Amino acid sequence: QVQLVESGGGLVQPGGSLRLSCAASGSIFRVNAMGWYRQAPGKQRESVASITRSSNTNYADSVKGRFTISRDNAKNTVYLQMNNLKPEDTAVYYCNARVMTPSDLFGADYWGQGTQVTVSS
């Protein structure tokens, strides 16, 4: 099976920075698109940023210019550098990846367990 493990969340003051990481492991043939989502209390989960295997990126309007998504294909890892954080960025952040396995070459979506990001003074 495939596991996604996130790290890097925490408490930060407004204007501060955090870097999230998400590593995929298990029976992996190839990891295609990867991305980050977030869910704030009482709100629906929303896409924050995504990146293709060839590193084409896409961002939600609310984070453009402040967040940067990147990946290391050799490590099956995706990162989210978050700068100039605002209280409205407070949420649980989830990693998502489209993973091909030897038994499923079409691929399936996998999710991490989530990591809390709190922006508060």
Side-chain angles (χ1 to χ4, degrees):
Q1 286 295 343
V2 175
Q3 299 83 36
L4 299 183
V5 178
E6 300 135 339
S7 61
L11 173 65
V12 64
Q13 292 187 341
S17 297
L18 283 175
R19 189 191 194 210
L20 305 182
S21 300
C22 172
S25 63
S27 181
I28 296 173
F29 178 77
R30 189 170 73 183
V31 180
N32 291 326
M34 305 184 81
W36 290 93
Y37 289 71
R38 67 186 180 187
Q39 187 166 19
K43 295 188 177 181
Q44 289 188 334
R45 189 174 297 189
E46 63 175 357
S47 175
V48 175
S50 63
I51 185 167
T52 66
R53 185 169 177 84
S54 57
S55 293
N56 293 312
T57 59
N58 192 47
Y59 296 92
D61 287 343
S62 59
V63 307
K64 282 181 180 177
R66 300 187 298 122
F67 291 10
T68 302
I69 189 171
S70 60
R71 66 187 290 169
D72 183 333
N73 289 335
K75 297 180 179 179
N76 291 327
T77 299
V78 64
Y79 307 95
L80 186 68
Q81 177 67 43
M82 305 184 293
N83 298 328
N84 190 22
L85 282 159
K86 304 176 180 180
E88 52 263 42
D89 294 318
T90 296
V92 177
Y93 283 69
Y94 297 91
C95 171
N96 169 267
R98 183 78 175 182
V99 181
M100 299 168 64
T101 65
S103 61
D104 181 11
L105 293 180
F106 180 77
D109 284 333
Y110 292 85
W111 292 88
Q113 79 285 359
T115 184
Q116 177 69 46
V117 171
T118 302
V119 184
S120 176
S121 55

